[in-house]
């Protein structure tokens, strides 16, 4: 009798062990608030979808904090399996060869089909190396678009401008007449610099925008962008444009309050704006361009962040990571993420699913980002790769702030950005040596 | 005078060990690392590092932005130290006349000191909100178009104001205690000698307050240089842009946000030298000239 009990207990223990033999992986991310809830939802859906793997999402603070935490953990050998890294930090993590497993290799090694052409055009190459191999899995991808207050435009009797020429001669004066500040915009380096270059297919840095090699020089000091900023200061003087500070929300809030008629923000803000009870109806359209610079405006590229599979884990865990990426890129999950947050679906299939479901008939503004990302591309539209780019952005923010508060001239500001950025790039090149 | 002593030389060392170990682990070791990495440029993930000698230092000293931040830090420190000491002293002298032994009042004031710097910064953010901040409106009433986060000088003013506001209570408590420890006989003698309250203050009270004042001076300089980090971070919302920042904040911006480990290590070493200089100044130059009773 005793013997039987013992055997039963042993069998039970063994069975319990087998049941718990699922591979556990962790995912560090920077998605707070409602976005964090959606991330948790995706993780628990993945855990429920099968019983071999279990993923645990961990919120690590802002993008910068998550990257710093991930780097510190990597140096201590305690890195998570999946880490979210934002656009400006991409060069740091991709530059550190051996820190991550290229997502394309990870998927291929674990028997998951991968074809880069399944992804939306503007999404494909931002997190890829110079050969076009995808290193990071695009996750929360967004692109700058122009939101507008429908009632304000109706009141002024204008439609959303397609070009900056139209904006300054027609739209802005009419909106001012109607009692609005025409335009504000969040994140000057992202919208009025990085995507300004891709929208006009202008080179942003040497070495194929920095993808090919680290001894890169920035090409930001060019006539097109200087003319743009000169125009912006002119708009500011006329009361057609207002700048409320470096913080993202500083410039979004006046739009939400109905003070500013048009706001340049992220396509990923769509979900948040829809959930707010705004005192007006809003819609969105593509980023305007200068007809004087190009007759054929090109696509923009993605911002936001991507997921990197950190190196240094055993094969079983990597398999789990691959399975999670497979789940994440499925059309259902991408459509869910897109619908909840406004970030673009990263695959063509998910986009088709959203179309078929009538998502864009209900909310046309939700499609603008993806349409803009799917425009024809050019040599300079796939993104950029520059080291110490977070600091370069800080330099840009500083100099732009000075331009807009009259502390410096456009010419001096761009000279300063060029000099400091090149110094930082040269320093970064040394870290890779 | 009889000297208290230990019979063996191992006993004092043993007793000092815990403290020494803590200092070694939490100060000397990281400090050594900072000095070491300030001579390198390294990949954040630790894959590659290049010895660059003094390049990180020469880069900093040749960088006009770093000089600008250093100058701002100097002005900021002088303003914060001066105003938080001067206002606290004024309040303490006035309160001393009416509030002898009001312990409750003291305790209540001390609580304000317990407000964490980021919370103080957040209160500042609310008070100076661009569209509905009460202090922004007050400034507007006087014709000052105050725009926190947009205008360099306005943001600087808000930083100084919030930092001073947070530091006044602790200075006040120390000054009040200092005033109350001045012997009654001295005060009475001064009253006979000098009828002018201002004269009595500068001739008798102020010198007797010197030890307290000197201690507070060092504490306040350290506060303005280092402890205002949270206030600066909150007021610039983590994105300094064209807003002012202090040297300590720049270490964070370059090191933690920008992952430039070599550059920010060099900045840390410069700050360590600054603290060392401040300490030497404290003990060698001023301490001897201050009369402690």
């Amino acid at each position: 009798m005793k013997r039987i009990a013992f055997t039963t207990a042993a069998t039970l223990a063994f069975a319990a062990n087998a049941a718990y033999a699922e591979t556990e992986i962790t995912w560090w991310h920077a998605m707070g608030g409602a976005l964090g809830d959606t991330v948790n939802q995706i993780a628990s859906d993945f855990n429920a979808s099968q019983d071999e793997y279990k993923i645990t999402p961990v919120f690590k603070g802002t993008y910068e904090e998550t990257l710093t935490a991930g780097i510190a953990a990597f140096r201590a050998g305690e890195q998570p399996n999946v880490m979210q890294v934002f656009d400006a930090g991409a060069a740091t993590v991709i530059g550190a060869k051996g820190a991550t497993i290229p997502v394309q290799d990870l998927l291929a090694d674990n028997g998951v089909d991968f074809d880069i052409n399944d992804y939306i055009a503007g999404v494909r190459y931002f997190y890829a190396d110079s050969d076009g191999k995808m290193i990071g899995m695009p996750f929360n991808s967004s692109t700058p678009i122009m939101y507008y207050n429908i009632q304000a435009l109706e009141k002024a009797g204008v439609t959303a401008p397609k070009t900056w020429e139209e904006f300054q001669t027609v739209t802005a004066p009419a909106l001012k007449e109607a009692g609005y500040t025409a335009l504000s915009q969040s994140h000057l380096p992202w919208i009025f610099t990085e995507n300004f270059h891709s929208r006009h297919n202008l080179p942003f840095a040497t070495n194929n925008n920095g993808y090919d090699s680290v001894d890169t020089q920035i090409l930001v000091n060019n006539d097109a962008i200087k003319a743009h900023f000169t125009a912006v200061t002119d708009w500011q003087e006329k009361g057609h444009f207002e700048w409320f500070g470096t913080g993202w929300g500083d410039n979004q809030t006046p739009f939400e309050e109905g003070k500013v008629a048009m706001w340049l923000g992220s396509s990923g803000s769509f979900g948040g704006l829809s959930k707010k009870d705004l005192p007006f109806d809003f819609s969105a359209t593509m980023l305007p361009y200068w007809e004087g610079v190009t007759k054929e405006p090109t696509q923009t590229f993605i911002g936001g962040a991507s997921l990197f599979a950190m190196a240094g884990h055993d094969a079983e865990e990597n398999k789990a990571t691959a399975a999670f990426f497979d789940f994440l890129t499925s059309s259902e999950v991408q459509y869910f993420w897109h619908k909840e947050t406004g970030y673009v679906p990263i695959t063509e299939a998910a986009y088709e699913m959203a179309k078929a479901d009538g998502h864009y008939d209900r909310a046309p503004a939700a499609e603008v980002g993806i349409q803009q990302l799917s425009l024809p591309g050019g040599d300079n539209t796939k993104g950029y790769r520059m080291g110490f780019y977070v600091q370069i952005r800080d330099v840009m923010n500083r100099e732009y702030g000075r331009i807009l508060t009259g502390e410096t001239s456009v010419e001096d500001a761009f000279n300063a950005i060029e000099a400091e950025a090149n110094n930082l790039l040269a320093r970064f090149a040394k870290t890779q040596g | 005078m009889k000297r208290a002593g230990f019979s063996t030389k191992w006993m004092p060392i043993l007793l000092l060990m815990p403290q020494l170990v803590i200092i070694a682990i939490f100060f000397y070791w990281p400090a050594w690392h900072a000095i070491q990495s300030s001579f390198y440029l390294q990949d954040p993930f630790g894959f590659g590092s290049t010895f660059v000698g003094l390049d990180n230092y020469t880069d900093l000293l040749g960088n006009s932005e770093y000089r600008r931040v250093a100058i701002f830090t100097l002005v900021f420190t002088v303003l914060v130290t001066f105003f938080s000491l001067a206002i606290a002293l004024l309040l303490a002298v006035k309160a001393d006349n009416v509030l002898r032994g009001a312990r409750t009042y003291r305790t209540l004031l001390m609580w304000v000191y317990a407000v964490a710097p980021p919370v103080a910064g957040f209160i500042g953010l609310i008070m100076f909100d661009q569209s509905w901040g009460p202090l922004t409106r007050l400034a507007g009433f006087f014709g000052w178009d105050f725009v926190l986060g947009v205008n360099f000088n306005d943001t600087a003013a808000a930083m100084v104001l919030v930092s001073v506001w947070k530091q006044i209570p602790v200075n006040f408590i120390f000054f009040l205690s200092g005033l109350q420890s001045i012997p009654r006989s001295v005060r009475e003698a001064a009253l006979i000698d000098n009828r002018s309250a201002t004269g009595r203050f500068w001739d008798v009270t102020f010198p007797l307050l010197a030890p307290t004042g000197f201690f507070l001076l060092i504490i306040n300089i350290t506060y303005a240089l280092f402890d205002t980090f949270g206030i600066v971070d909150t007021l610039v919302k983590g994105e300094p842009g064209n807003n002012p920042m202090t040297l300590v904040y720049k270490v964070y911006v370059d090191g933690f946000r920008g992952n430039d480990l070599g550059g920010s290590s060099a900045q840390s070493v410069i700050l360590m030298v600054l603290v060392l200089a401040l300490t030497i100044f404290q003990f060698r130059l001023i301490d001897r000239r201050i009369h402690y009773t």
Side-chain angles (χ1 to χ4, degrees), chain A residues 68 244 250 402 427 430, chain B residues 50 68 130 237 256 260:
Chain A
T68 306
F244 300 90
D250 296 344
R402 285 184 190 164
R427 283 163 52 78
K430 278 191 209 163
Chain B
T50 314
R68 202 171 114 112
Q130 278 180 32
K237 299 171 190 157
F256 282 79
D260 179 1

Side-chain angles (χ1 to χ4, degrees), chain A residues 277-343:
Chain A
D277 195 19
L278 296 181
F280 54 85
D281 298 319
F282 76 91
S283 189
T285 187
M286 288 188 205
L287 217 54
Y289 59 94
W290 286 99
E291 219 175 357
V293 177
T294 178
K295 291 274 186 292
E296 284 160 13
T298 37
Q299 63 177 217
T300 52
F301 50 79
I302 47 170
S306 69
L307 303 182
F308 284 87
M310 302 303 288
H313 295 286
D314 61 37
E316 198 54 36
E317 288 185 21
N318 289 340
K319 202 175 162 198
T321 307
F324 174 66
F325 282 163
D326 189 27
F327 174 82
L328 189 69
T329 49
S330 71
S331 302
E332 291 78 13
V333 175
Q334 280 301 314
Y335 179 37
F336 168 73
W337 175 246
H338 173 51
K339 209 163 58 173
E340 284 296 310
T341 63
Y343 283 110

Side-chain angles (χ1 to χ4, degrees), chain B residues 225-248:
Chain B
L225 279 173
F226 299 99
D227 279 359
T228 48
F229 179 91
I231 294 172
V232 175
D233 184 52
T234 321
L235 285 177
V236 303
K237 299 171 190 157
E239 294 266 7
N242 62 323
N243 292 305
M245 57 176 153
T246 55
L247 286 171
V248 171

Side-chain angles (χ1 to χ4, degrees), chain B residues 50-276:
Chain B
T50 314
F51 182 77
V52 292
L54 290 169
D55 275 10
N56 285 327
Y57 294 96
T58 48
D59 270 1
L60 279 177
L61 300 176
N63 184 331
S64 62
E65 183 56 25
Y66 189 73
R67 285 201 299 271
R68 202 171 114 112
V69 173
I71 291 167
F72 172 76
T73 309
L74 184 73
V75 173
F76 175 79
T77 307
V78 169
L79 289 177
V80 169
T81 308
F82 176 76
F83 282 114
S84 43
L85 285 176
I87 296 171
L89 181 60
L90 183 72
L91 292 176
V93 169
K94 295 295 174 199
D96 186 40
N97 298 329
V98 286
L99 271 170
R100 294 193 154 256
R103 283 168 191 276
T104 334
Y105 188 56
R106 252 198 263 177
T107 314
L108 283 174
L109 257 174
M110 204 63 189
W111 283 354
V112 180
Y113 180 62
V115 171
V119 177
F122 190 67
I123 293 171
L125 215 52
I126 292 172
M127 300 301 266
F128 287 112
D129 186 276
Q130 278 180 32
S131 48
W132 47 264
L135 287 178
T136 309
R137 289 198 176 158
L138 184 72
F141 184 73
F142 292 105
W144 183 1
D145 188 15
F146 196 100
V147 268
L148 178 72
V150 172
N151 184 301
F152 182 93
N153 292 328
D154 290 356
T155 313
M159 278 176 188
V160 171
L161 193 80
V162 174
S163 307
V164 168
W165 168 73
K166 196 186 131 35
Q167 191 64 7
I168 286 174
V170 71
N171 291 347
F172 174 84
I173 302 291
F174 275 96
F175 275 133
L176 192 61
S177 309
L179 283 171
Q180 291 183 345
S181 65
I182 293 174
R184 219 177 163 72
S185 53
V186 176
R187 286 166 180 267
E188 279 162 2
L191 201 61
I192 297 166
D193 282 353
N194 196 339
R195 286 180 61 86
S196 147
T198 325
R200 283 203 307 277
F201 175 77
W202 290 114
D203 291 343
V204 179
T205 318
F206 192 73
L208 285 171
L209 265 183
T212 313
F214 174 67
F215 165 75
L216 285 179
L217 180 71
I218 299 294
I219 291 291
N220 279 270
I221 291 174
T222 320
Y223 162 77
L225 279 173
F226 299 99
D227 279 359
T228 48
F229 179 91
I231 294 172
V232 175
D233 184 52
T234 321
L235 285 177
V236 303
K237 299 171 190 157
E239 294 266 7
N242 62 323
N243 292 305
M245 57 176 153
T246 55
L247 286 171
V248 171
Y249 196 68
K250 191 162 168 58
V251 172
Y252 160 77
V253 165
D254 290 345
F256 282 79
R257 268 173 61 88
N259 292 306
D260 179 1
L261 300 180
S264 74
S265 295
Q267 293 180 31
S268 312
V269 172
I270 291 177
L271 283 174
M272 280 198 281
V273 171
L274 194 71
V275 172
L276 195 69

